[in-house]
Amino acid sequence: MAFSAALDGLPLGRWQYFPTVGSTNDVVATWAADGAPDLSLAVADEQIAGRGRSGRTWFTPPGSALAFSLLLRPEGLPQADPARVAGLGALAVAEALEALYGLQPEIKWPNDVLLNGRKVCGVLAEAEWLGGELAWIVLGIGINLTSGAVPPLDLLALPATCVASEARQPAPAPHTLRAILERILYWKSQLNQPEFIAAWEARLAYRGQTVRVASGLEELHGTLAGLAEDGRLRLVGPTGEQRLAAAGEIRLRPEVDSRAK
Ligand code: BT5
């Protein structure tokens, strides 16, 4: 099977390919509770209960997308922070799509990857806490490879696209998966380093633009300046004051787009 060859030599724990599954994040969380090793991986062609943040739906129709989840145990992370791990996923996808397909992906902080301003990938990092300690993080990534994966616009908050349309070439799932995993493995040990924050920051969408960031009832407005040292989003307000937004349940929008996610 093509995935076995593509994953050859990577230091994965348990791994399994599913033609159809509910959600790969749920599969890996179940494995984690059963003691699966660090870097266990579930890959699916189709998800029938794919999830975004806050219970939103992530569409993964068959034969057109890549959906996978990777188990990250805190022992293997220098900084066990789910927000940073979401950034790790987005950065790895952005770098892989650039290297493989010559694209210029941008990261819509904290967890989306955009191509030409359209969403091509969503990242969902879910943490499990046991007795106040982080037990594990499941890093879930969904990418639209061909146009069949792109949901109709009326179901979306942001326009979406797929790798093959943007790259004007085929985007094979196994090949794409391997490149992303290699970048995750590269950056994973540097999550607490300024180089990681700088690489994440360099790819931010809407830099220099006026944006609003909504979190619960709170809304921040300002020019998107970059990231703080700890990975929070840095906005500069009208009188030059700095405002920091922490990832969590958050919506980031350029001011021109007033639709809610
Ligand atoms: C995300 O949430 O973008 C995170 C998506 C994570 C999916 C992966 S796939 C593997 C693993 N298993 C899972 O069950 N999940 C993870 P959020 O930022 O909340 O965005 C969700 C929104 O994206 C939806 O409300 C739609 O508007 C939009 N959306 C859904 N499917 C999409 C698609 N295929 N392409 C582009 N946009 C989509």
PDB file of all heavy atoms in Angstrom, residues 37 49 53 55 60 81-82 93 113 120 126 153 193 195 211-212 223 256:
ATOM      1  N   PRO A  37       2.120   4.413  21.922  1.00  0.00           N
ATOM      2  CA  PRO A  37       3.346   5.212  22.039  1.00  0.00           C
ATOM      3  C   PRO A  37       3.255   6.566  21.345  1.00  0.00           C
ATOM      4  O   PRO A  37       2.395   6.786  20.491  1.00  0.00           O
ATOM      5  CB  PRO A  37       4.405   4.327  21.364  1.00  0.00           C
ATOM      6  CG  PRO A  37       3.671   3.366  20.519  1.00  0.00           C
ATOM      7  CD  PRO A  37       2.290   3.213  21.090  1.00  0.00           C
ATOM      8  N   ALA A  49     -17.309  11.825  10.544  1.00  0.00           N
ATOM      9  CA  ALA A  49     -17.587  12.712  11.689  1.00  0.00           C
ATOM     10  C   ALA A  49     -16.356  13.581  11.961  1.00  0.00           C
ATOM     11  O   ALA A  49     -15.956  13.764  13.114  1.00  0.00           O
ATOM     12  CB  ALA A  49     -17.967  11.886  12.917  1.00  0.00           C
ATOM     13  N   ARG A  53     -12.883  23.033  15.389  1.00  0.00           N
ATOM     14  CA  ARG A  53     -12.938  23.506  16.766  1.00  0.00           C
ATOM     15  C   ARG A  53     -14.393  23.718  17.175  1.00  0.00           C
ATOM     16  O   ARG A  53     -15.253  23.930  16.331  1.00  0.00           O
ATOM     17  CB  ARG A  53     -12.153  24.825  16.903  1.00  0.00           C
ATOM     18  CG  ARG A  53     -10.667  24.635  16.659  1.00  0.00           C
ATOM     19  CD  ARG A  53      -9.956  25.963  16.655  1.00  0.00           C
ATOM     20  NE  ARG A  53     -10.492  26.823  15.622  1.00  0.00           N
ATOM     21  CZ  ARG A  53     -10.363  28.160  15.605  1.00  0.00           C
ATOM     22  NH1 ARG A  53      -9.715  28.765  16.566  1.00  0.00           N
ATOM     23  NH2 ARG A  53     -10.866  28.869  14.621  1.00  0.00           N
ATOM     24  N   GLY A  55     -16.753  21.856  17.997  1.00  0.00           N
ATOM     25  CA  GLY A  55     -17.762  20.978  17.423  1.00  0.00           C
ATOM     26  C   GLY A  55     -18.165  21.307  15.996  1.00  0.00           C
ATOM     27  O   GLY A  55     -19.135  20.743  15.479  1.00  0.00           O
ATOM     28  N   THR A  60     -14.540  15.688   4.980  1.00  0.00           N
ATOM     29  CA  THR A  60     -13.478  14.863   4.393  1.00  0.00           C
ATOM     30  C   THR A  60     -14.120  13.803   3.507  1.00  0.00           C
ATOM     31  O   THR A  60     -14.237  12.632   3.878  1.00  0.00           O
ATOM     32  CB  THR A  60     -12.644  14.152   5.487  1.00  0.00           C
ATOM     33  OG1 THR A  60     -12.363  15.064   6.546  1.00  0.00           O
ATOM     34  CG2 THR A  60     -11.332  13.619   4.926  1.00  0.00           C
ATOM     35  N   ASP A  81       2.288  22.557  24.916  1.00  0.00           N
ATOM     36  CA  ASP A  81       1.279  23.607  24.860  1.00  0.00           C
ATOM     37  C   ASP A  81       0.433  23.374  23.606  1.00  0.00           C
ATOM     38  O   ASP A  81       0.941  23.448  22.494  1.00  0.00           O
ATOM     39  CB  ASP A  81       2.034  24.947  24.806  1.00  0.00           C
ATOM     40  CG  ASP A  81       1.132  26.122  24.446  1.00  0.00           C
ATOM     41  OD1 ASP A  81      -0.092  25.935  24.348  1.00  0.00           O
ATOM     42  OD2 ASP A  81       1.684  27.221  24.260  1.00  0.00           O
ATOM     43  N   PRO A  82      -0.873  23.065  23.789  1.00  0.00           N
ATOM     44  CA  PRO A  82      -1.715  22.755  22.630  1.00  0.00           C
ATOM     45  C   PRO A  82      -1.732  23.863  21.574  1.00  0.00           C
ATOM     46  O   PRO A  82      -1.789  23.576  20.376  1.00  0.00           O
ATOM     47  CB  PRO A  82      -3.103  22.561  23.227  1.00  0.00           C
ATOM     48  CG  PRO A  82      -2.890  22.320  24.675  1.00  0.00           C
ATOM     49  CD  PRO A  82      -1.594  22.939  25.060  1.00  0.00           C
ATOM     50  N   VAL A  93       2.535  22.036   7.581  1.00  0.00           N
ATOM     51  CA  VAL A  93       1.760  21.939   6.339  1.00  0.00           C
ATOM     52  C   VAL A  93       2.216  23.024   5.356  1.00  0.00           C
ATOM     53  O   VAL A  93       2.450  22.757   4.173  1.00  0.00           O
ATOM     54  CB  VAL A  93       0.247  22.061   6.619  1.00  0.00           C
ATOM     55  CG1 VAL A  93      -0.544  22.233   5.327  1.00  0.00           C
ATOM     56  CG2 VAL A  93      -0.246  20.843   7.389  1.00  0.00           C
ATOM     57  N   VAL A 113      -4.471  26.897   7.282  1.00  0.00           N
ATOM     58  CA  VAL A 113      -3.493  27.210   6.232  1.00  0.00           C
ATOM     59  C   VAL A 113      -4.279  27.678   5.009  1.00  0.00           C
ATOM     60  O   VAL A 113      -5.269  27.050   4.614  1.00  0.00           O
ATOM     61  CB  VAL A 113      -2.612  25.992   5.885  1.00  0.00           C
ATOM     62  CG1 VAL A 113      -1.615  26.349   4.782  1.00  0.00           C
ATOM     63  CG2 VAL A 113      -1.873  25.511   7.130  1.00  0.00           C
ATOM     64  N   VAL A 120      -7.205  25.828   2.811  1.00  0.00           N
ATOM     65  CA  VAL A 120      -6.871  24.525   2.222  1.00  0.00           C
ATOM     66  C   VAL A 120      -6.680  23.477   3.301  1.00  0.00           C
ATOM     67  O   VAL A 120      -6.741  22.272   3.021  1.00  0.00           O
ATOM     68  CB  VAL A 120      -5.614  24.639   1.329  1.00  0.00           C
ATOM     69  CG1 VAL A 120      -4.351  24.875   2.158  1.00  0.00           C
ATOM     70  CG2 VAL A 120      -5.443  23.439   0.433  1.00  0.00           C
ATOM     71  N   GLU A 126      -5.919  18.752  20.184  1.00  0.00           N
ATOM     72  CA  GLU A 126      -6.763  18.483  21.346  1.00  0.00           C
ATOM     73  C   GLU A 126      -5.931  17.851  22.453  1.00  0.00           C
ATOM     74  O   GLU A 126      -5.263  16.848  22.230  1.00  0.00           O
ATOM     75  CB  GLU A 126      -7.919  17.556  20.962  1.00  0.00           C
ATOM     76  CG  GLU A 126      -8.875  18.218  19.976  1.00  0.00           C
ATOM     77  CD  GLU A 126     -10.062  17.336  19.634  1.00  0.00           C
ATOM     78  OE1 GLU A 126      -9.842  16.198  19.156  1.00  0.00           O
ATOM     79  OE2 GLU A 126     -11.201  17.781  19.817  1.00  0.00           O
ATOM     80  N   LEU A 153     -19.666  26.655  -1.003  1.00  0.00           N
ATOM     81  CA  LEU A 153     -19.417  27.925  -0.307  1.00  0.00           C
ATOM     82  C   LEU A 153     -20.460  28.224   0.770  1.00  0.00           C
ATOM     83  O   LEU A 153     -20.142  28.784   1.815  1.00  0.00           O
ATOM     84  CB  LEU A 153     -19.362  29.058  -1.346  1.00  0.00           C
ATOM     85  CG  LEU A 153     -18.804  30.390  -0.870  1.00  0.00           C
ATOM     86  CD1 LEU A 153     -17.402  30.256  -0.293  1.00  0.00           C
ATOM     87  CD2 LEU A 153     -18.807  31.402  -2.015  1.00  0.00           C
ATOM     88  N   GLN A 193      11.732  27.260  21.072  1.00  0.00           N
ATOM     89  CA  GLN A 193      12.834  28.071  20.556  1.00  0.00           C
ATOM     90  C   GLN A 193      12.314  29.284  19.778  1.00  0.00           C
ATOM     91  O   GLN A 193      11.294  29.193  19.092  1.00  0.00           O
ATOM     92  CB  GLN A 193      13.702  27.236  19.592  1.00  0.00           C
ATOM     93  CG  GLN A 193      14.331  26.020  20.215  1.00  0.00           C
ATOM     94  CD  GLN A 193      15.332  26.391  21.302  1.00  0.00           C
ATOM     95  OE1 GLN A 193      16.141  27.301  21.119  1.00  0.00           O
ATOM     96  NE2 GLN A 193      15.242  25.716  22.427  1.00  0.00           N
ATOM     97  N   GLU A 195      13.373  30.338  17.072  1.00  0.00           N
ATOM     98  CA  GLU A 195      13.366  30.001  15.628  1.00  0.00           C
ATOM     99  C   GLU A 195      12.003  29.459  15.201  1.00  0.00           C
ATOM    100  O   GLU A 195      11.546  29.723  14.086  1.00  0.00           O
ATOM    101  CB  GLU A 195      14.433  28.946  15.290  1.00  0.00           C
ATOM    102  CG  GLU A 195      15.850  29.436  15.378  1.00  0.00           C
ATOM    103  CD  GLU A 195      16.388  29.547  16.802  1.00  0.00           C
ATOM    104  OE1 GLU A 195      15.705  29.083  17.750  1.00  0.00           O
ATOM    105  OE2 GLU A 195      17.477  30.120  16.973  1.00  0.00           O
ATOM    106  N   VAL A 211      -7.197  43.904  11.533  1.00  0.00           N
ATOM    107  CA  VAL A 211      -7.976  42.682  11.765  1.00  0.00           C
ATOM    108  C   VAL A 211      -8.776  42.831  13.054  1.00  0.00           C
ATOM    109  O   VAL A 211      -8.518  43.736  13.859  1.00  0.00           O
ATOM    110  CB  VAL A 211      -7.059  41.439  11.898  1.00  0.00           C
ATOM    111  CG1 VAL A 211      -6.289  41.179  10.615  1.00  0.00           C
ATOM    112  CG2 VAL A 211      -6.109  41.569  13.084  1.00  0.00           C
ATOM    113  N   ARG A 212      -9.704  41.917  13.212  1.00  0.00           N
ATOM    114  CA  ARG A 212     -10.351  41.830  14.524  1.00  0.00           C
ATOM    115  C   ARG A 212     -10.229  40.396  14.995  1.00  0.00           C
ATOM    116  O   ARG A 212     -10.279  39.455  14.193  1.00  0.00           O
ATOM    117  CB  ARG A 212     -11.805  42.279  14.467  1.00  0.00           C
ATOM    118  CG  ARG A 212     -12.671  41.460  13.610  1.00  0.00           C
ATOM    119  CD  ARG A 212     -14.009  42.135  13.356  1.00  0.00           C
ATOM    120  NE  ARG A 212     -14.629  41.512  12.205  1.00  0.00           N
ATOM    121  CZ  ARG A 212     -15.401  40.425  12.282  1.00  0.00           C
ATOM    122  NH1 ARG A 212     -15.652  39.879  13.439  1.00  0.00           N
ATOM    123  NH2 ARG A 212     -15.920  39.918  11.192  1.00  0.00           N
ATOM    124  N   THR A 223      -3.821  46.420  14.013  1.00  0.00           N
ATOM    125  CA  THR A 223      -3.025  45.963  12.880  1.00  0.00           C
ATOM    126  C   THR A 223      -2.293  44.700  13.307  1.00  0.00           C
ATOM    127  O   THR A 223      -1.681  44.674  14.380  1.00  0.00           O
ATOM    128  CB  THR A 223      -1.991  47.048  12.506  1.00  0.00           C
ATOM    129  OG1 THR A 223      -2.713  48.235  12.230  1.00  0.00           O
ATOM    130  CG2 THR A 223      -1.190  46.651  11.284  1.00  0.00           C
ATOM    131  N   VAL A 256     -12.210  43.688   6.426  1.00  0.00           N
ATOM    132  CA  VAL A 256     -13.075  43.747   5.243  1.00  0.00           C
ATOM    133  C   VAL A 256     -14.092  42.622   5.195  1.00  0.00           C
ATOM    134  O   VAL A 256     -15.105  42.735   4.544  1.00  0.00           O
ATOM    135  CB  VAL A 256     -12.239  43.695   3.936  1.00  0.00           C
ATOM    136  CG1 VAL A 256     -11.533  45.020   3.733  1.00  0.00           C
ATOM    137  CG2 VAL A 256     -11.275  42.526   3.943  1.00  0.00           C
TER     138      VAL A 256
END
